[in-house]
Amino acid sequence: MKYYLLTLGCQMNHSDSERVKRVLEGMGYQECDKEKDANVIGILACSVRQKAIDKVYSKIAEWNKRKQSHNLITFISGCILPTDKEQFLKLFDMVFAMRELPQFPQMLSQYGITTPSGLVNENLNPKEEINFFWKVKPKYNSSFEAFIPIQNGCDKFCSFCAVPYTRGREVSRPSKEILEEVKGLVAKGYKSITLLGQNVNSYGLDKKGGEISFAQLLEAIGQIGESTKNLFWVYFTSPHPRDMNREVIEVIARYKCLANQIHLPLQSGDDKVLIKMNRKHSLKKYRESVDAVRELLPEATLFTDIIVGFSGESEEQFQNTRKAFKEFQYNMAYIAMYSKRPGAAAYSWDDDVDATIKKQRFELLTEDLAAGSLNYNKQLLNSEFTLLVRDSDRKKGYLTGHTEGKLIVRFQSDDLNLIGEFVKIKISSAAKFSLEGELVAADKFQDKLEV
Ligand code: SF4
């Protein structure tokens, strides 16, 4: 019996898919890479973007047609808005919230006898159910980089975002479990570990003193790093600027395994737009965090997320975002042109910035980013870096990887055994968003590498 799983959306869904796979394989199903070979097909959906929802509808229409000649069971989980859920119940054999995953084998084995919703344990509240979900051991998609969910849901209610409605309120995973998962991965030689959550640095706040803080969690992970010879880098995404504090940055500065890379979403460089976005922080508050990063982590790279053309964004407000870009000198920014997201508060507001203006703003900001990034990258020429080799590069005969700061570097080598290993690289040329280097040492004994 085979299964095929289609995962849409963000890293959180991709992390969840590792647990879904483990449950299916625990039931004896084998993963296949072609939909046509599968007996069970599932989607981890993303209701946040209309494009992803359109894809769900087109896929299920195709699969339901195939049911006429094949024995096929379909399911859907992930980020689903209540309005979409009603439609999906009519189209899929099973619809369940990710926190109900531990009950999935029961649903699947009894499929056709009992409706899935009837099997949900009504004695458990959603917060208790997510704790059961986290106990499911994931089937990691990679042998050297892993994502660890530390928190689920969001209390922030940004006006452009539907996540609080699809994933519910913030719930922190018990720190004991997180630390065990980190220890297990480090013992297996994992090199890159990313702590995942909608607001990772709000970690523990929902437990009101009953759980350690995010800074304390990082401290405990830092100590795991100190107790082993294995080199690994720990990242986290995404923190919320409102809950960012100096203590978190001080902890990162103390421990070698906590990576010198900060991804701090700004979304807009204008205070009035930030208020309209309901971001709950000002540019001044954001600046304090960036100043602390520059002071305590001078080597750190800085990434961000930006939305251009949000409802009512004026030219002057956009120019304030450009000014913020200049001031904060990002290495990378994920820039999105605003589009209404079903379920979000701003869905009913006018999407009144013309599409051509949005495109112009997107291009201007991308140019600003490219100029800043190129300038930064040029200063790295002839410097040596430790690189985690991740894959073959598009350029034939080259491999690609990233530095601790997640700067992409490619180098000439066709030794595929290096994928998943640390190597030492000397930067030989710099481009806008990438670097090229020469292999200095491909020694796989990582404790010989300087970090
Ligand atoms: S912080 Fe804002 S953007 Fe991030 S998940 Fe929560 S509501 Fe969405």
Side-chain angles (χ1 to χ4, degrees), residues 154 156-158 160-161 163-164 198-199 240 267 279:
C154 180
K156 303 294 187 293
F157 291 91
C158 299
F160 55 80
C161 179
V163 165
Q198 267 77 35
N199 288 286
H240 193 288
Q267 307 299 7
R279 289 289 289 168

Side-chain angles (χ1 to χ4, degrees), residues 120-125 128:
V120 172
N121 187 342
E122 282 162 8
N123 296 322
L124 293 177
N125 67 38
E128 286 170 320

Side-chain angles (χ1 to χ4, degrees), residues 373-421:
S373 168
L374 180 61
N375 190 29
Y376 182 96
N377 286 352
K378 277 184 178 166
Q379 292 168 32
L380 305 180
L381 284 171
N382 297 316
S383 308
E384 287 190 7
F385 284 92
T386 299
L387 191 80
L388 175 58
V389 185
R390 295 188 67 238
D391 213 341
S392 301
D393 192 70
R394 269 181 304 186
K395 190 170 171 184
K396 211 165 177 270
Y398 280 71
L399 297 176
T400 181
H402 68 68
T403 64
E404 179 182 344
K406 290 220 167 163
L407 300 175
I408 309 293
V409 186
R410 72 176 169 204
F411 63 98
Q412 197 166 12
S413 171
D414 49 17
D415 183 359
L416 298 182
N417 290 322
L418 292 179
I419 294 173
E421 301 292 340

Side-chain angles (χ1 to χ4, degrees), residues 311-447:
S311 174
E313 184 190 66
S314 67
E315 181 56 29
E316 192 190 340
Q317 288 169 332
F318 168 66
Q319 289 302 332
N320 285 338
T321 299
R322 289 189 79 186
K323 278 186 207 151
F325 249 57
K326 209 164 189 177
E327 178 182 349
F328 300 135
Q329 294 288 309
Y330 295 111
N331 296 88
M332 181 49 76
Y334 301 96
I335 306 169
M337 287 183 277
Y338 175 67
S339 63
K340 287 185 179 198
R341 295 174 191 180
Y347 189 68
S348 58
W349 303 352
D350 284 346
D351 183 7
D352 51 3
V353 178
D354 192 81
T356 51
I357 305 269
K358 277 184 196 164
K359 194 156 177 281
Q360 277 169 13
R361 291 180 184 175
F362 174 85
E363 285 167 357
L364 278 171
L365 216 47
T366 305
E367 278 169 26
D368 292 347
L369 176 71
S373 168
L374 180 61
N375 190 29
Y376 182 96
N377 286 352
K378 277 184 178 166
Q379 292 168 32
L380 305 180
L381 284 171
N382 297 316
S383 308
E384 287 190 7
F385 284 92
T386 299
L387 191 80
L388 175 58
V389 185
R390 295 188 67 238
D391 213 341
S392 301
D393 192 70
R394 269 181 304 186
K395 190 170 171 184
K396 211 165 177 270
Y398 280 71
L399 297 176
T400 181
H402 68 68
T403 64
E404 179 182 344
K406 290 220 167 163
L407 300 175
I408 309 293
V409 186
R410 72 176 169 204
F411 63 98
Q412 197 166 12
S413 171
D414 49 17
D415 183 359
L416 298 182
N417 290 322
L418 292 179
I419 294 173
E421 301 292 340
F422 285 119
V423 297
K424 188 73 95 180
I425 216 86
K426 185 175 183 180
I427 304 299
S428 53
S429 76
K432 284 179 212 165
F433 296 119
S434 65
L435 295 148
E436 208 165 295
E438 285 159 12
L439 194 58
V440 176
D443 196 332
K444 289 181 196 165
F445 300 99
Q446 52 179 267
D447 52 346

